[in-house]
Every structure is written in structure tokens, then in C-alpha cells.
Amino acid sequence: MGAEKLILISDVHANLPALEAVVADIAARGLAAAPVCFLGDAVNMGPFPAETVSALRALKPAFRVRGNHDRYISAPPGRAELERYFHCREGADHADWTAAALDGGAKAWLGEAPAAVTFSLGGAAFRCFHASEESDETPLRTPGGPVNLLCGHIHSPYILPFEGRIAVNPGSVGSPLDGDPAAAYAVVTVNGRVSAEIVRVKYDLDAFAA
């Protein structure tokens, strides 16, 4: 039996050009047929929410979970909660703008994703969630347990071995916070054991900023 591949995408944040660059890179690597796991936060912070949701839906993720920003749009927690999270009125204003830019179908797609999913691939077990089991806003602290862990939220990628398994954070497609502006995603390989690779993809940042 050959190696099984899994694509991890997270934290796109309405950055359509970055997502398009990642999708093109996946195809160029011959991985277009590999299942995709989307770890949440399709929208907020970027200028293309409707287009980004449409592009993600077209990918038909085999597995996906709801991010905190997806929740803010699909089930708005109220102005005070948004200002608390963003630490400013402008973040809440942008969330309001994002919600107005999305139709009911897009909001429903964001909201219907579960908080966590467990699945198997190539004989290996995986558990995925946006930030941690406890909360979609609280980052994973110390990985443990009987399955491999997949998460996003912190916008900084890592591959962390633990107890014979790994925890993988693919970083952010649309808004990296690790000092490298290139879009980030990950490729997980299951071939008797589980391994992963973080991939960075450059795109036209000046055009996106404009």
C-alpha cells in the first residue's frame, strides 16, 4: 500500500490571492487529488470573504472544523464580545462588514462545521480542532493522547512529536505571524508512520495590499 497524503489548510482570513497560490502549489506538486483538511478561520481580517468561502467550498474538504472567526460570522456573539477579542472597535467593524458581505448559504457553510473531528487515514488516527479541545480561542498547550493532533489558530506553523505521534499546525494561508509573509500550509504523509512538511508559497503581496 502506498503513502497516503493529507493537505492541511488553516486561517485563510479572506485572503483570496494567498489561497489561490496555495491551491496552485498543491496542484503543481501533484497533490490535487489528496484529501483536504480545513482547520478553520475562512474569513475576517481580509477583503475577499465571499470569494474565499466560495473557493474553499470548491475544494470540497474531506474534513473541516469551525474556527473562532467563522463562529463570529455564523453565530455573532455580540459587539462587546467582538471588541474584547479584537481589542478595538475597528476589528468588530470589520466583522460586521464581513457578515454583510456573505449570503445565507456562505454563513451556513461556516457555521455547520463541527468544533472538532476525529478520523483515520492510512491506518493512523487524527483529531483536529481549530485552537484546542477546550476552546476555539485558546491555543493548544501540551499535546498528548492516543491520536495525532491537527490544529491552527496561532498563525505560526510547527510539527511537534509527542508519545510516538505528532501535532501539526500548518500556520496561516492568509495572515502568517511567524515573520515570513509567504502563505503557509502543510502536507501530512502516512506511510507506516506519520510525518509532515510545512510548505511556504510566495504570492504578490503588493497587489493584494493594493
Side-chain angles (χ1 to χ4, degrees):
M1 183 175 179
E4 297 273 1
K5 300 285 186 179
L6 176 69
I7 306 298
L8 303 183
I9 293 175
S10 191
D11 296 278
V12 182
H13 287 290
N15 185 337
L16 182 66
L19 178 60
E20 290 175 336
V22 164
V23 171
D25 190 77
I26 291 168
R29 291 169 178 264
L31 296 173
V36 171
C37 177
F38 176 57
L39 294 166
D41 278 5
V43 296
N44 271 350
M45 297 163 45
F48 303 109
E51 298 90 339
T52 297
V53 171
S54 179
L56 284 168
R57 294 178 76 173
L59 286 177
K60 294 182 171 60
F63 316 101
R64 67 183 182 100
V65 294
R66 183 182 63 250
N68 58 308
H69 287 271
D70 305 327
R71 174 172 58 83
Y72 299 156
I73 299 305
S74 60
R79 181 81 188 191
E81 180 68 13
L82 290 173
E83 290 188 12
R84 176 201 64 80
Y85 181 81
F86 287 110
H87 302 288
C88 65
R89 292 182 58 84
E90 290 80 6
D93 289 341
H94 184 73
D96 289 342
W97 176 86
T98 295
L102 294 174
D103 63 21
K107 292 176 185 176
W109 186 82
L110 294 174
E112 69 192 16
V117 169
T118 300
F119 63 90
S120 296
L121 183 72
F126 295 87
R127 178 76 170 167
C128 59
F129 36 77
H130 179 63
S132 66
E133 289 276 15
E134 294 74 27
S135 166
D136 60 14
E137 294 181 348
T138 303
L140 178 67
R141 301 298 184 190
T142 304
V147 297
N148 299 279
L149 301 177
L150 311 174
C151 62
H153 187 61
I154 63 171
H155 295 215
S156 184
Y158 62 72
I159 301 168
L160 182 63
F162 73 96
E163 302 171 10
R165 288 166 286 279
I166 61 173
V168 185
N169 189 316
S172 173
V173 170
S175 182
L177 294 177
D178 63 341
D180 183 348
Y185 74 99
V187 180
V188 173
T189 301
V190 183
N191 189 14
R193 67 183 187 90
V194 180
S195 60
E197 173 192 7
I198 304 297
V199 182
R200 304 308 289 254
V201 184
K202 294 181 179 180
Y203 64 101
D204 192 338
L205 286 166
D206 290 336
F208 174 66

